[in-house]
Amino acid sequence: MAKGDRSEIMAYVTHLRCSRCGSEYRLEDGKVICDRDDLGRLDIYYDYEAISRTLTKETLEERRGGVWRYFELLPVSRRSSIVSLGEGGTPMIRSERLSKHLGLKNLYLKDETRNPTASFKDRSMTVGVSKAVELGVKKTCTASSGNAAAALAAYSAKAGLECYAFVLEEASIGKISQLQLYGAKVFRVRRVEEEVDPTVQLLRLVVKNYGWYPCPSFGPFNPYQVEGPKTISYEIVEQLGWRIPDWILIPTGSACLLAGIWKGLKDYYELGWIDHLPRLAAIQSTGNAPFVRAFKERMDPMNIEPWRNPRTVASGLMDPYPWDGDAGLIALRETDGVAEAVPDNLILEAQKLLASMEGVFAEPSGAAGLAGAMKLLEDGVIDPSDEVVVLVTGSGLKDPDIVKSMFAEPPTIGPSLEEFTRMLSRLG
Ligand SMILES: *Cc1c(COP(=O)(O)O)cnc(C)c1O
Ligand SMILES: [Zn+2]
């Protein structure tokens, strides 16, 4: 970038503070994890007064684009560091058929399947990788074969960074090949201890010993990417014409998304742009619900118990330990929120309803928020007159096998009217 470029502005971050030990750092220190290596998250704090001198509702409305419209509210110092694939700026679809079917007056779908790699994780990784560029690192690494890894691999490719992905031994070849096509180097990691995720174990060792840049979608391993999903909240508020919905339903795995949604709402509150927060609902599968259990049993946010033997069709919500569950529990407490688990068959029903009544093609994890809305409506927690925003977090193209297993093979017939008519009457 040319010297004196006027787009060269410093970030409006006051400091980073470790969620476990309270150690504070400056943004310029370039820390990704706490010096104490205590698995705390380096929560990022902003100078809202300074931000509001440049950023107003009016200036915002004049800007185009997605995530990077909110540059001042993101922890990147130079616009020249931005690595973007056109993420964010996703539509809020007002449901008509589905809302009628469910008996909900006002239902909106925030369609995150429209992102470049087809999940909301692109918002996380555009920020995580832009920060990597700013810090001058050459190698990124992650511990997952899911949507977060795919997004990291794509943004690393765009930035010309080497990306290493540690995946579980049983990770499907479909997911691995997507990573490989993006140019990531993939390692399957064998499990040695029952309770420990071997990919995270290796990630920590590699980060410590090789100094590579960790960028999974967990706050304790990278606090910058947490800030990306905040922009979903900004967009929701703006797309509703600066109105606050009654509920936002959030599919939850590690609870990083939940924490981000909350943080985004608080940013707008601190800027004085909204005067209260909506109620947040975190949704997990009954087959893996450590966060819901922690909420219902009022566990200490710093001591959430991991889930043994997770099993669910919602592969994006499979985290046995919610790494950002501490922030998630506080988010629910502060917003009078709830956490609820739904069975896999309800998730699959929600997935079908989204596609067949609204034309939105979600993966099971992406449909879990709608399943949660259906359950909370039935339980009387959500009122039929409430304004409800459901996050649809990832595309059905991510998991074609699940879709295939839901339907019978279509019939094969010749191109004759007779055969067609016969088959038509047989199918009823
Ligand atoms: C990652 C993911 C989630 C859950 O987000 P967390 O931050 O892990 O809670 C939900 N849906 C999809 C499609 C995802 O990829
Ligand atoms: Zn610390």
Side-chain angles (χ1 to χ4, degrees):
M1 179 191 285
K3 257 199 195 141
D5 186 323
R6 260 176 298 153
S7 68
E8 182 92 10
I9 47 172
M10 285 309 291
Y12 296 92
V13 170
T14 56
H15 62 285
L16 283 68
R17 186 193 298 135
C18 176
S19 60
R20 290 222 173 240
C21 71
S23 295
E24 293 196 359
Y25 303 94
R26 295 168 313 154
L27 187 66
E28 306 85 86
D29 297 334
K31 295 288 177 195
V32 183
I33 55 176
C34 180
D35 280 346
R36 295 202 188 170
D37 197 18
D38 55 5
L39 291 175
R41 183 185 44 256
L42 300 182
D43 287 318
I44 302 173
Y45 294 85
Y46 293 82
D47 181 348
Y48 295 103
E49 236 183 82
I51 291 172
S52 60
R53 280 196 289 272
T54 345
L55 195 64
T56 63
K57 284 188 188 180
E58 290 71 35
T59 52
L60 204 49
E61 270 160 12
E62 284 162 15
R63 292 185 189 175
R64 300 204 172 279
V67 166
W68 296 99
R69 281 177 74 217
Y70 308 100
F71 181 76
E72 288 85 348
L73 291 157
L74 296 170
V76 171
S77 308
R78 288 186 296 272
R79 286 189 190 271
S80 56
S81 312
I82 293 174
V83 181
S84 173
L85 292 169
E87 58 293 319
T90 59
M92 269 265 273
I93 299 166
R94 195 191 161 96
S95 153
E96 284 163 22
R97 294 188 62 213
L98 181 56
S99 57
K100 216 170 266 157
H101 175 76
L102 298 176
L104 252 179
K105 254 210 202 104
N106 296 295
L107 172 64
Y108 291 87
L109 308 170
K110 181 65 173 160
D111 187 3
E112 290 295 306
T113 70
R114 312 284 190 98
N115 281 299
T117 77
S119 88
F120 84 87
K121 295 288 196 320
D122 291 327
R123 296 186 191 256
S124 321
M125 296 308 153
T126 186
V127 178
V129 171
S130 297
K131 196 67 201 179
V133 166
E134 192 154 280
L135 294 174
V137 303
K138 296 281 175 261
K139 292 183 166 88
T140 63
C141 51
T142 187
S144 136
S145 60
N147 293 337
L152 179 64
Y155 285 86
S156 296
K158 172 81 176 167
L161 305 180
E162 257 181 58
C163 177
Y164 289 79
F166 304 128
V167 310
L168 290 172
E169 209 174 355
E170 61 270 22
S172 80
I173 193 67
K175 297 208 161 177
I176 291 175
S177 49
Q178 187 187 10
L179 297 177
Q180 289 175 317
L181 193 61
Y182 282 131
K185 297 185 171 55
V186 181
F187 293 79
R188 292 189 137 128
V189 192
R190 263 192 313 274
R191 189 182 299 276
V192 285
E193 284 169 76
E194 182 66 36
E195 297 282 287
V196 185
D197 182 335
T199 63
V200 172
Q201 208 174 358
L202 183 59
L203 181 74
R204 292 185 72 184
L205 287 170
V206 165
V207 168
K208 208 166 183 177
N209 290 281
Y210 288 83
W212 297 353
Y213 179 81
C215 202
S217 62
F218 312 138
F221 295 85
N222 187 308
Y224 303 107
Q225 56 81 29
V226 180
E227 306 291 288
K230 294 197 308 189
T231 56
I232 298 175
S233 294
Y234 306 156
E235 289 176 14
I236 289 173
V237 171
E238 288 171 61
Q239 285 168 321
L240 286 177
W242 300 95
R243 204 174 58 243
I244 321 301
D246 295 300
W247 291 96
I248 300 179
L249 284 107
I250 306 162
T252 299
S254 72
C256 191
L257 173 59
L258 168 62
I261 293 293
W262 174 56
K263 244 190 138 181
L265 293 164
K266 289 219 305 187
D267 285 343
Y268 270 20
Y269 183 82
E270 293 292 338
L271 287 166
W273 294 354
I274 57 175
D275 60 5
H276 68 280
L277 305 193
R279 297 179 74 182
L280 303 182
I283 309 301
Q284 297 200 294
S285 162
T286 49
N288 180 53
F291 181 75
V292 173
R293 181 174 63 187
F295 174 78
K296 294 201 169 176
E297 295 181 6
R298 296 168 188 277
M299 279 181 202
D300 170 6
M302 288 299 178
N303 283 302
I304 295 176
E305 223 177 283
W307 194 266
R308 275 165 185 262
N309 212 358
R311 236 172 263 261
T312 167
V313 286
S315 57
L317 311 181
M318 197 84 100
D319 314 69
Y321 178 72
W323 286 102
D324 294 289
D326 57 327
L329 288 175
I330 298 168
L332 294 188
R333 198 191 303 149
E334 280 197 10
T335 61
D336 191 20
V338 298
E340 195 55 77
V342 291
D344 278 3
N345 59 12
L346 190 60
I347 292 176
L348 294 175
E349 189 190 332
Q351 185 186 13
K352 261 191 196 167
L353 288 173
L354 278 175
S356 62
M357 302 196 88
E358 297 292 345
V360 174
F361 196 53
E363 66 181 302
S365 305
L370 178 64
M374 291 161 71
K375 173 153 183 25
L376 291 172
L377 187 64
E378 193 179 302
D379 293 350
V381 178
I382 291 180
D383 189 86
S385 66
D386 284 348
E387 186 160 61
V388 176
V389 176
V390 166
L391 304 189
V392 182
T393 46
S395 165
L397 295 170
K398 293 277 188 171
D399 205 343
D401 291 344
I402 295 271
V403 181
K404 238 195 289 177
S405 68
M406 288 160 102
F407 298 95
E409 289 262 335
T412 304
I413 53 171
S416 83
L417 203 55
E418 198 194 355
E419 273 192 64
F420 174 66
T421 307
R422 198 170 344 116
M423 186 57 78
L424 197 61
S425 64
R426 201 192 308 163
L427 293 177

